[in-house]
């Protein structure tokens, strides 16, 4: 269990490492800034060295040796600086203090990154255990911090490094697909980590130490590494790091994550703190909850997302939400709508609106005084030929959205004139034919009888 | 008849109302013509009305202020506009509204009606193929609805059902037969929201066992009908074993996937079940079924048509369920005289017995049933070929309450048999189709004694002729339905006699080659109430007959003119004059041209609901006519 202070230091270490990674990815310009700020020639030289080390490192022992000697050199430099601080005995000018701090930071970062570049060879050759843990594969705050503090405080190359770099990777891979869900771990039974905002928002967490390319998954990085030489094609190098390679005796403390946003329920300072399970959970949580929703759906132009995967999921179904509730909520599936309706009192399913359009067309042509002319254009719409527009009981809801066509009135039939047919064919019983019969048969006109049938059945 | 005014003045209004209450419908018509006072009593007392013509609707509604039941199911030209006009006539106190087959009525009109009738409790919109979700939403405005019948509302989907369910939460009876779009989701919502449901019909729906699970949670459900639900299986019925505590009637007829074990699970869970209809899904009456059905002491109806039933199981069954009144064992293998005799001994209260297609049942069984079950009202013996006059003799002797007798395709029936049957003077319905051994002599007995007869089916009874028909026309004055199709001996002389049947509404004259215009004219003249007329293949009827029909048969609603030699003008006149015509078959009219059809259809297109036409006409008739027919809610079948 770590104290709060430890965690804070963690944050410092990991943040700086991550910053550096981002710089690596984005190109040299940031490094140049870095160099300019360092202000010393040899530091600038070192930066270039780092750059070369990262870019052109070949994974043979010779490179490793040169890396090691570079680190040796740097450590000596660091020692010198620390001695200087001790010599001055804390009586430093503000400017000097600042300069020295900058120097220290730059040297330590170089050390860490170079040590990190040694990392894959650590996997290869287990005997070379004196290499520093890297930022390259995974930001490993605690160890990095240890390293930094050790280098700072103990002033020596006695880097007693913890081994579970591989462990951490496995941990991440395994939990990547886990859903964020409430679990009831008793407080204290797990280790809380808190990543900084920048770290969370970094697009990649796995970096190629040769070309600097970033990857989200270490499996992709391993695939990528094959391109850098045959030694990365061995089964051992390509294998997914798994638990068997771990020292099984060590008890594994469960790790949980805290959101850096103050006041968030996922923040460790919150009263009802609920830890996040994995790094991925942290990332998605932070983006969804505390970041701007910058991705807008290209179809509906209303829904916004901060996680691009969410946008893609939405776009897949956008526009297909044809199941509509009276409350305005749309559903892509009918059963979801019915579940919603069953749950909420007073909600009713809305009738789909598409049907109104063809019927409106039909009615307009029928109500025209020359109904025959445009009849060809009209398609039959059995379901809703007449005034299918009365959306009852939620007039308010519908009114805002659609313009109802003029309701079709059967009365308008009467005005139709069918191609010279001798009379209005929709007349009631008194028709010209009847007159014809009366005269032709000579029969008297007998009324059809009582209009109603004497049917008393209920 | 001129009752002295003094006698009438003694009778107070409430006494008159009481007297009126005892009258049957035909007498009421006479009553209201008697005097102004009587007419007033009639106007005030009448609570239900069936409208035949929409023109009279406003007048009739204002004339009868206390109407609670309005039947518009046979009313042509009923559309939104009529309803809107009706709305301006003032509010109506209608509780029960029958809009069956009102295909031209759409959401706007329905909503008006639903708003207009505040006390609306029962609505029937069955067979309105245009009734969809929008219409359902309109209807759901009537929040007080308790009974809704929506059979064959083909456009109705779960959404529409949900609207009704949510709008009318007091529903206690709903029928969704043939609403093919309804799925489990709709049924589930219905069962969640309408806890008062007492009667539910989900026949022919493609619902699965999930629906049954929802239905099983209905605490008050008494009647559940699910005829021919092809996806429901025994596992679904198991939910019912512990659900629906009030269930009294269940119908699982023709559910393909339901077997005996499913039926047994229903029986096990409901010892108070009264009606069990499991025709054509139980393959055999097994020991376990018998064991469980014994527990049903109150069972009144048992239909196990199509199952294999042995004599012993029939005996066991009847000895345990002695209160059975309705038994259906049609098409059951293994039903013999021994079983039926035993059943007759045990079930003395039997009222309805269906023995159709039980080929081994003979006179002995019928005699036993007639002797023991004196309350027998309905007996169906279709295709029981071993029945002869001996069996019918005991029927005539003992079954004085017999109302309905189906002897279709029993060729053992002869004139002597009919003489015996005629002793059943309460007979209302007699079916003698395909009984070729009967002649004028037998028919004469029926005509002279069965004066209450309402329905007579003589389909393809080739043995009788004009004299027989004349006897029927003379004797069975209240006859409502008469089927004399393919009775080849009949000529004009006989058919002309039909005109005496004033109450005739359904007449089938199919395939009578000998009748001409004169015969048809006589029928049209006499039978004022004629509503259904089938003239298919009456090839010798000439235009004079159709002219008469056009002029006199003003109440004709459905007519079949296939293969008739009607001319263009006659057809036009028929269609324009028959102001109630709604359903016509016009296939194979050799003398009618395309123009003739077009004009004829234009003349009646505002009242047609169903139309069968020669397929090539689809492309020959004008598109605006077809379109208009669709808009008015007419369905066309192209043949």
């Amino acid at each position: 269990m770590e104290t709060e202070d430890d965690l804070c230091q963690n944050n410092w270490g990991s943040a700086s490492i991550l910053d550096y990674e981002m710089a690596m990815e984005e190109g040299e310009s940031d490094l140049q800034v870095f160099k300019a700020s360092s202000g010393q020639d040899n530091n600038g030289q070192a930066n270039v060295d780092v750059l070369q080390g990262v870019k052109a490192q070949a994974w043979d022992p010779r490179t490793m040796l040169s890396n090691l000697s570079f680190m040796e050199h740097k450590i000596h430099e660091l020692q010198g600086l620390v001695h200087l601080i001790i010599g001055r005995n804390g009586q430093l000018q503000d400017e000097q203090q600042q300069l020295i701090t900058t120097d220290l930071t730059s040297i330590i970062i170089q050390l860490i990154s170079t040590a990190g570049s040694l990392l894959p060879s650590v996997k290869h050759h287990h005997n070379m255990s004196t290499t520093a843990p890297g930022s390259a594969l995974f930001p490993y705050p605690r160890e990095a911090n240890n390293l930094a503090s050790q280098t700072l405080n103990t002033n020596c190359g006695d880097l007693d490094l913890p081994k579970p770099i591989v462990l951490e990777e496995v941990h991440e891979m395994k939990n990547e697909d886990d859903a964020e869900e409430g679990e009831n771990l008793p407080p204290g039974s797990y280790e809380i980590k808190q990543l900084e905002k920048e770290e969370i928002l970094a697009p990649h967490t796995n970096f190629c130490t040769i070309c600097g390319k970033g990857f989200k998954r270490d499996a992709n990085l391993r695939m990528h590494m094959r391109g850098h030489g045959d030694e990365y094609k061995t089964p051992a190098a390509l294998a997914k790091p798994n638990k068997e390679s771990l020292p099984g005796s060590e008890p594994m403390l469960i790790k949980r994550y805290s959101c850096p946003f103050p006041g968030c329920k996922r923040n460790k300072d919150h009263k009802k703190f609920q830890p996040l399970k994995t790094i991925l959970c942290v990332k998605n949580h932070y983006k969804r909850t505390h970041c701007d929703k910058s991705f807008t759906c290209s179809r509906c132009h209303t829904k916004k997302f901060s996680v691009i995967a969410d946008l893609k999921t939405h776009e897949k179904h956008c526009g297909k939400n044809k199941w509509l509730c009276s409350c305005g909520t749309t559903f892509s599936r009918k059963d979801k709508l019915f579940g919603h309706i069953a749950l909420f009192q007073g909600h009713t399913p809305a009738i789909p609106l598409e049907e109104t359009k063809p019927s409106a067309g039909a009615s307009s042509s029928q109500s025209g005084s020359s109904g025959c002319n445009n009849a060809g254009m009209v398609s039959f719409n059995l379901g809703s030929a007449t005034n299918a527009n009365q959306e009852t009981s939620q007039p308010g809801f519908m009114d805002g959205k659609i313009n109802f066509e003029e309701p079709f009135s059967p009365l308008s039939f009467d005005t139709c004139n069918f191609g010279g047919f001798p009379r209005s064919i929709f007349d009631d019983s008194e028709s010209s034919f009847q007159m014809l019969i009366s005269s032709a048969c000579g029969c008297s006109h007998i009324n059809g009888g009582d209009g109603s049938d004497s049917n008393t059945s209920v | 008849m001129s009752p002295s005014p003094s006698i009438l003045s003694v009778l107070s209004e409430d006494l008159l109302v009481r007297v009126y209450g005892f009258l049957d419908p035909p007498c009421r018509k006479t009553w209201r013509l008697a005097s102004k006072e009587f007419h007033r009593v009639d106007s005030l007392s009448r609570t239900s009305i069936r409208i035949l013509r929409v023109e009279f609707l406003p007048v009739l509604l204002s004339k009868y202020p206390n109407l609670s039941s309005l039947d518009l199911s046979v009313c042509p030209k009923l559309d939104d506009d009529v309803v809107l006009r009706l709305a301006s006539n003032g509010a109506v106190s209608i509780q029960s509204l029958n809009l069956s087959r009102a295909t031209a009525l759409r959401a706007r009109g329905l909503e008006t009606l639903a708003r207009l009738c505040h006390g609306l409790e029962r609505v029937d919109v069955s067979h309105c193929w245009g009734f969809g979700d929008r219409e359902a939403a309109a209807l759901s405005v009537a929040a007080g609805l308790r009974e809704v019948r929506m059979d064959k509302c083909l456009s109705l989907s779960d959404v529409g059902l949900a609207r009704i369910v949510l709008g009318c939460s007091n529903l206690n009876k709903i029928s969704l037969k043939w609403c093919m779009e309804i799925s489990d989701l709709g049924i589930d919502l219905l069962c969640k929201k309408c806890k008062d449901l007492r009667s539910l019909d989900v026949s022919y729906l493609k619902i699965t066992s999930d629906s049954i699970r929802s239905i099983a949670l209905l605490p008050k459900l008494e009647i559940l009908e699910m005829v021919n639900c092809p996806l429901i299986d025994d596992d679904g019925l198991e939910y019912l074993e512990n659900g629906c505590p009030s269930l009294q009637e269940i119908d699982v007829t023709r559910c393909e996937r339901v077997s005996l074990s499913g039926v047994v699970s229903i029986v096990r869970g409901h010892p108070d079940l009264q009606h069990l209809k499991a025709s054509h899904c139980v393959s055999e009456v097994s020991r376990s079924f018998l064991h469980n059905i014994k527990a049903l002491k109150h069972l009144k109806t048992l239909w196990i048509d199509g199952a294999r039933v042995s004599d012993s199981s029939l005996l066991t069954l009847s000895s345990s369920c002695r209160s059975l009144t309705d038994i259906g064992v049609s098409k059951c293998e293994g039903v013999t005289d021994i079983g039926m005799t035993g059943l007759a001994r045990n079930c003395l209260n039997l009222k309805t017995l269906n023995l159709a297609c039980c080929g081994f049942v003979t006179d002995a069984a019928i005699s036993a049933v007639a002797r023991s079950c004196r309350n027998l009202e309905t007996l169906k013996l279709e295709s029981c070929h071993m029945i002869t006059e001996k069996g019918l003799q005991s029927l005539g002797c003992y079954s004085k309450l017999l109302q309905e007798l189906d002897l279709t395709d029993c060729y053992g029936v002869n004139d002597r048999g009919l003489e015996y049957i005629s002793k059943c003077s309460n007979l209302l319905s007699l079916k003698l189709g395909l009984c070729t051994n009967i002649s004028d002599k037998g028919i004469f007995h029926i005509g002279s004694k069965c004066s209450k007869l309402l329905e007579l089916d003589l389909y393809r009874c080739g043995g009788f002729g004009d004299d027989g028909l004349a006897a029927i026309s003379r004797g069975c004055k209240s006859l409502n339905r008469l089927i004399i199709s393919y009775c080849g001996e009949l000529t004009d002389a006989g058919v002309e006699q039909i005109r005496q049947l004033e109450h005739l509404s359904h007449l089938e004259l199919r395939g009578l080659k000998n009748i001409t215009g004169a015969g048809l004219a006589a029928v049209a003249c006499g039978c004022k109430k004629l509503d259904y007329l089938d003239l298919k293949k009456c090839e010798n009827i000439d235009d004079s007959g159709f002219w008469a029909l056009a002029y006199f048969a003003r109440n004709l609603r459905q007519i079949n003119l296939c293969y008739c030699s009607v001319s263009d003008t006659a057809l036009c006149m028929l269609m324009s004059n028959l102001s109630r015509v709604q359903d016509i078959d016009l296939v194979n009219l050799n003398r009618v041209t395309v123009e003739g059809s077009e004009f004829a259809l234009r003349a009646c297109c505002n009242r047609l609901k169903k139309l069968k036409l020669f397929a090539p006409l689809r492309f020959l008739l004008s598109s605006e006519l077809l379109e208009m027919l669709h808009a008015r809610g007419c369905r066309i079948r192209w043949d």
Side-chain angles (χ1 to χ4, degrees):
Chain A
M1 193 63 199
E2 284 169 301
T3 62
E4 294 253 317
D5 283 355
D6 279 347
L7 280 165
C8 290
Q9 280 173 354
N10 273 349
N11 296 341
W12 176 82
S14 57
S16 60
I17 288 162
L18 218 88
D19 282 344
Y20 182 62
E21 281 172 355
M22 285 168 74
M24 267 170 52
E25 210 198 9
E26 282 168 26
E28 279 112 297
S29 58
D30 285 5
L31 281 176
Q32 294 305 322
V33 175
F34 197 67
K35 193 162 87 181
S37 72
S38 69
Q40 274 183 23
D41 271 344
N42 60 347
N43 271 338
Q45 186 58 46
N47 270 326
V48 175
D49 285 350
V50 169
L51 212 64
Q52 282 170 348
V54 170
K55 290 227 164 153
Q57 217 169 17
W59 287 99
D60 54 0
R62 263 171 297 170
T63 333
M64 282 214 37
L65 270 178
S66 73
N67 276 341
L68 283 172
S69 59
F70 168 72
M71 282 169 68
E72 201 178 34
H73 170 70
K74 282 286 153 191
I75 285 166
H76 282 302
E77 216 173 324
L78 205 61
Q79 274 176 330
L81 262 172
V82 178
H83 277 303
L84 189 73
I85 300 167
I86 294 166
R88 294 280 172 91
N89 206 7
Q91 299 161 357
L92 282 168
Q93 299 286 322
D94 273 3
E95 296 151 14
Q96 283 173 319
Q97 176 83 54
Q98 219 171 353
L99 267 176
I100 288 170
T101 316
T102 325
D103 275 1
L104 266 176
T105 319
S106 103
I107 292 168
I108 290 164
I109 286 171
Q110 285 163 19
L111 261 175
I112 292 167
S113 86
T114 318
S117 73
L118 296 170
L119 202 61
S121 52
V122 175
K123 278 187 218 164
H124 252 295
H125 318 284
H126 284 283
N127 49 348
M128 304 177 107
S129 60
T130 49
T131 44
S135 60
L137 270 177
F138 182 71
Y140 199 60
R142 186 159 155 254
E143 276 68 54
N145 185 46
N146 282 346
L147 167 73
S149 57
Q150 273 172 357
T151 338
L152 271 169
N153 299 333
T154 59
N155 231 358
C156 69
D158 179 26
L159 300 173
D160 184 20
L161 292 172
K163 285 159 197 149
I165 300 155
V166 181
L167 177 149
E168 183 67 28
E169 266 185 10
V170 169
H171 185 69
E172 193 205 18
M173 287 307 294
K174 205 176 67 182
N175 286 324
E176 209 162 45
D177 295 325
D178 279 1
E180 243 183 83
E181 55 193 23
E183 49 175 359
N184 288 320
L185 287 174
S189 69
Y190 52 88
E191 190 182 359
I192 304 173
K193 289 171 174 292
Q194 182 167 291
L195 308 185
E196 272 316 306
K197 182 190 166 196
E198 292 75 20
E199 201 174 354
I200 290 167
L201 296 178
H204 303 302
T205 47
N206 299 295
F207 292 94
C208 172
T209 41
I210 299 170
C211 63
K213 191 169 183 202
F215 297 92
K216 280 181 181 160
R217 292 164 192 269
D218 78 323
N220 293 345
L221 174 63
R222 282 198 299 276
M223 288 297 115
H224 162 82
M225 292 311 285
R226 292 181 307 173
H228 285 305
D230 284 341
E231 63 268 39
Y232 303 112
K233 292 180 182 167
T234 61
L238 288 170
K240 184 183 179 183
N242 50 25
K243 279 184 179 169
E244 277 75 53
S245 66
L246 300 176
S249 55
E250 281 183 26
M252 215 173 77
L253 197 57
I254 305 168
K255 291 191 184 63
R256 288 294 177 265
Y257 298 87
S258 157
C259 169
F261 196 86
C264 173
K265 203 179 183 183
R266 303 294 196 171
N267 184 272
K268 60 184 165 21
D269 296 331
H270 193 275
K271 269 183 191 170
K272 293 176 182 173
F273 171 54
Q274 283 190 330
L276 292 151
K277 250 184 175 177
T278 65
I279 303 263
L280 194 75
C281 296
V282 176
K283 291 187 166 199
N284 284 341
H285 160 77
Y286 193 84
K287 285 184 194 166
R288 283 178 186 142
T289 325
H290 309 302
C291 291
D292 287 341
K293 297 185 172 180
S294 46
F295 303 111
T296 312
C297 173
S298 57
R299 295 197 197 189
C300 62
H301 301 287
T302 46
K303 280 259 184 186
K304 290 180 176 178
F305 303 91
S306 51
V307 177
I308 197 148
D310 294 354
L311 171 72
K312 281 178 181 166
T313 313
H314 163 78
E315 279 187 329
K316 235 180 258 177
H317 304 288
C318 183
K320 290 179 191 166
N321 288 355
K322 52 177 183 169
W323 301 104
L324 181 65
C325 177
S326 57
C327 69
T329 320
T330 57
F331 299 86
S332 58
R333 284 168 51 178
K334 190 164 141 191
D335 53 339
K336 299 293 173 199
L337 168 66
F338 275 71
H340 170 88
I341 284 161
L343 199 61
F344 294 101
Q345 207 72 36
H347 290 213
T348 54
I351 311 293
L353 304 166
E354 291 86 341
E355 291 171 33
T356 52
K357 285 170 190 169
S359 84
S363 69
S364 66
S365 82
Q366 282 160 351
S367 56
S369 58
S370 56
C372 314
N373 299 342
N374 50 4
M377 297 157 47
V378 182
S379 60
F380 289 135
N381 186 347
L382 303 189
S384 54
T386 54
N387 52 70
N389 52 9
Q390 294 277 334
E391 175 59 40
T392 58
S393 64
Q394 290 111 16
F397 163 60
M398 290 302 179
D399 277 350
K401 299 196 176 173
I402 351 128
N403 279 327
F404 289 130
E405 293 289 335
E406 190 65 18
F408 158 70
S409 159
L411 265 180
S412 55
F413 275 132
D414 295 345
T415 58
C416 292
N417 187 9
F418 277 92
F421 203 69
R423 65 191 179 92
S424 175
I425 59 168
F426 302 105
D427 268 358
D428 282 348
S429 49
E430 294 300 322
S431 71
S432 53
F433 277 131
Q434 266 181 318
M435 304 314 286
L436 188 79
I437 295 175
S438 314
S439 53
C441 301
C443 302
S444 63
H445 185 91
I446 300 170
N447 199 311
D450 211 313
S452 69
D453 199 8
S454 300
N455 189 345
T456 40
S457 63
V458 179
Chain B
M1 63 166 222
S2 56
S4 86
S6 56
I7 295 173
L8 286 175
S9 58
V10 171
L11 295 170
S12 66
E13 190 177 296
D14 58 322
L15 280 175
L16 281 178
V17 169
R18 284 190 70 179
V19 172
Y20 176 84
F22 289 110
L23 298 176
D24 55 349
C27 300
R28 287 182 180 187
K29 192 171 179 180
T30 323
W31 168 284
R32 70 171 164 263
L33 295 175
S35 77
K36 272 190 178 175
E37 180 64 14
F38 279 31
H39 193 278
R40 207 172 66 82
V41 167
D42 175 69
S43 307
L44 292 175
S45 315
R46 188 163 187 145
T47 55
S48 82
I49 194 165
R50 189 163 71 138
I51 306 290
L52 301 186
R53 284 187 174 77
V54 79
E55 299 88 78
F56 302 123
L57 181 58
V59 181
L60 286 170
L61 285 183
S62 59
K63 200 165 142 191
Y64 296 103
N66 295 324
L67 284 181
S68 66
S69 168
L70 178 62
D71 184 348
L72 298 169
S73 59
V74 290
C75 193
K77 293 194 281 189
L78 184 75
D79 53 30
D80 289 350
D81 204 50
V82 169
V83 171
L84 292 178
R85 253 183 290 164
L86 203 136
S88 61
N89 283 10
V92 212
S93 59
I94 302 294
Q95 289 173 6
S96 171
L97 188 57
N98 189 344
L99 296 171
S100 180
R101 294 195 165 82
T103 50
L105 201 59
R106 292 294 148 80
R108 200 162 54 105
L110 273 169
E111 197 185 341
T112 312
L113 268 180
R115 287 193 195 285
L116 188 68
C117 310
H118 303 294
L120 203 59
E121 285 182 1
R122 278 180 296 274
V123 166
D124 185 345
V125 287
S126 48
H127 303 281
C128 295
W129 58 266
F131 187 93
D133 295 342
R134 213 165 285 281
E135 284 72 23
L139 190 60
S140 71
V141 172
L145 275 184
R146 291 179 178 277
E147 290 180 22
V148 183
R149 197 176 187 92
M150 299 194 284
D151 301 2
K152 221 165 188 171
C153 289
L154 295 173
S155 325
L156 184 75
S157 80
D158 288 335
V159 172
L161 177 61
R163 293 298 290 259
I164 290 199
V165 163
L166 295 166
C168 324
S169 50
N170 295 329
L171 279 184
N172 57 32
K173 183 174 182 181
I174 189 164
S175 174
L176 298 167
K177 206 190 242 179
W178 279 303
C179 295
M180 302 310 277
E181 301 286 313
I182 300 288
S183 74
D184 287 340
L185 289 173
I187 300 295
D188 184 53
L189 190 74
L190 171 72
C191 297
K192 275 183 188 154
K193 297 284 180 183
C194 298
K195 288 290 179 193
D196 292 339
L197 217 55
R198 286 172 200 276
S199 168
L200 175 64
D201 191 340
V202 289
S203 301
Y204 303 94
L205 299 191
K206 300 256 188 310
I207 52 170
T208 68
S209 298
D210 291 346
S211 286
I212 306 297
R213 189 165 47 196
S214 313
I215 290 169
L217 298 175
L218 288 171
K220 297 180 182 169
L221 193 72
E222 288 168 8
I223 301 170
L224 175 59
E225 308 220 15
M226 36 189 205
V227 178
N228 205 343
C229 292
L231 302 179
I232 285 177
D233 55 16
D234 293 342
D235 296 340
L237 292 187
E238 274 176 25
Y239 291 120
L240 287 178
E241 185 177 340
N242 299 316
C244 295
S246 317
L247 198 66
Q248 287 176 8
E249 177 171 350
I250 187 159
D251 192 344
V252 287
T253 298
R254 288 199 172 84
C255 290
E256 288 166 23
R257 294 194 192 173
V258 169
S259 72
L260 196 68
S261 69
V263 178
V264 165
S265 63
I266 298 172
V267 170
R268 227 173 10 228
H270 299 94
D272 293 332
L273 202 67
Q274 291 187 5
H275 306 277
L276 175 62
K277 299 173 182 175
S279 308
H280 305 291
C281 63
V282 177
S283 59
E284 189 178 10
V285 174
S286 70
R287 205 172 286 272
S288 69
F289 180 73
L290 283 174
H291 177 74
N292 282 294
I293 212 150
K294 267 185 195 174
L296 304 182
K297 294 295 172 202
H298 306 294
L299 195 67
K300 286 179 181 158
T301 304
L302 178 64
W303 291 2
I304 44 168
D305 308 64
R308 203 173 315 116
V309 193
S310 68
D311 291 333
S312 59
S313 54
L314 210 54
L315 280 172
T316 324
L317 192 81
S318 54
S319 61
S320 50
C321 307
R322 283 172 181 265
S323 54
L324 275 174
T325 57
D326 182 351
I327 297 180
V329 285
S330 68
K331 295 188 184 169
C332 284
E333 274 179 57
V335 173
T336 67
D337 287 350
I338 302 166
M340 284 318 296
T341 315
L343 185 127
R345 249 198 329 267
N346 287 322
C347 302
L348 300 177
N349 295 321
L350 205 61
K351 284 186 176 168
T352 303
L353 178 60
N354 186 354
L355 282 171
C357 302
C358 291
F360 295 105
V361 170
T362 69
D363 295 330
I366 301 304
S367 302
V369 169
R371 277 199 190 114
S372 311
C373 313
R374 297 296 177 91
N375 295 326
L376 199 66
E377 288 176 359
T378 303
L379 183 58
K380 293 179 181 172
L381 296 170
E382 186 180 343
S383 295
C384 292
H385 298 309
M386 291 163 86
I387 306 286
T388 66
E389 75 257 24
K390 279 181 191 161
L392 302 178
Q393 182 176 21
S394 33
L395 273 183
C397 282
Y398 303 108
S399 303
K400 291 297 176 194
L401 298 176
L402 198 65
Q403 292 181 355
E404 197 181 334
L405 181 59
D406 186 350
L407 291 168
T408 306
D409 199 21
C410 295
Y411 43 70
V413 175
N414 54 17
D415 289 340
R416 179 67 65 82
L418 287 187
E419 187 182 346
Y420 293 135
I421 290 171
S422 67
K423 289 179 184 167
C424 304
S425 51
N426 285 309
L427 215 53
L428 300 179
S429 167
L430 180 59
K431 292 185 179 172
L432 297 168
L434 299 165
C435 294
T436 43
N437 292 328
I438 54 177
S439 69
D440 286 338
K441 210 171 148 194
I443 297 291
F444 182 80
H445 288 295
I446 299 292
S448 55
K449 291 190 189 134
C450 301
S451 55
K452 291 184 182 173
L453 212 56
L454 294 177
E455 178 181 8
L456 181 60
D457 183 354
L458 295 167
Y459 179 81
R460 282 191 199 271
C461 292
F464 85 101
D466 293 335
D467 293 341
L469 191 55
I472 293 287
S473 307
R474 265 195 317 274
C476 313
K477 286 287 187 195
S478 47
L479 208 60
N480 222 302
R481 274 169 73 96
L482 178 61
I483 300 169
I484 44 172
S485 300
Y486 300 106
C487 297
E489 303 284 306
L490 295 178
T491 66
D492 277 347
V495 171
E496 275 171 15
Q497 299 301 314
I498 295 176
R499 70 179 164 203
Q500 301 172 53
L501 301 171
E502 281 182 19
H503 298 290
L504 199 67
S505 73
H506 182 110
L507 179 60
E508 294 186 24
L509 301 172
R510 195 178 278 207
L512 298 184
K513 312 265 181 200
N514 295 332
I515 60 169
T516 65
L520 182 61
V523 170
C525 241
C527 310
K528 286 280 190 287
K529 287 192 174 173
L530 204 61
D531 169 274
Y532 176 99
L533 182 60
D534 189 344
L535 295 173
K536 189 173 177 178
K537 295 188 179 169
C538 292
E539 290 157 358
N540 288 319
I541 296 178
D542 56 16
D543 274 1
S544 66
F546 295 113
W547 283 46
L549 201 63
Y551 192 73
F552 294 109
R554 292 305 189 77
N555 283 316
L556 211 56
R557 192 173 54 88
Q558 187 172 350
I559 186 167
N560 186 341
L561 293 174
C562 300
Y563 296 96
C564 281
S565 57
V566 63
S567 72
D568 273 353
T569 39
L571 187 65
C572 283
M573 259 182 291
L574 264 179
M575 292 307 131
S576 63
N577 261 38
L578 298 178
S579 55
R580 282 194 63 220
V581 77
Q582 292 162 45
D583 184 341
I584 46 177
D585 283 19
L586 298 175
V587 184
N588 287 312
L589 305 179
N590 294 330
R591 290 178 60 199
V592 174
T593 62
V594 176
E595 289 76 25
S597 308
E598 171 93 21
F599 285 156
L601 290 176
R602 283 183 173 204
C604 62
C605 75
N606 63 343
R607 42 188 188 262
L608 283 187
K609 290 175 182 173
K610 233 171 158 184
L611 177 59
K612 190 172 169 185
L613 283 177
F614 189 45
L617 280 179
R618 185 179 211 151
F619 309 102
L620 299 171
L621 293 175
S622 70
S623 61
E624 73 266 30
L625 170 67
L626 299 179
E627 181 192 315
M628 187 81 73
L629 285 168
H630 273 293
R632 301 288 301 184
C634 177
R635 284 210 115 176
I636 306 180
R637 215 177 106 201
W638 301 100
D639 190 52

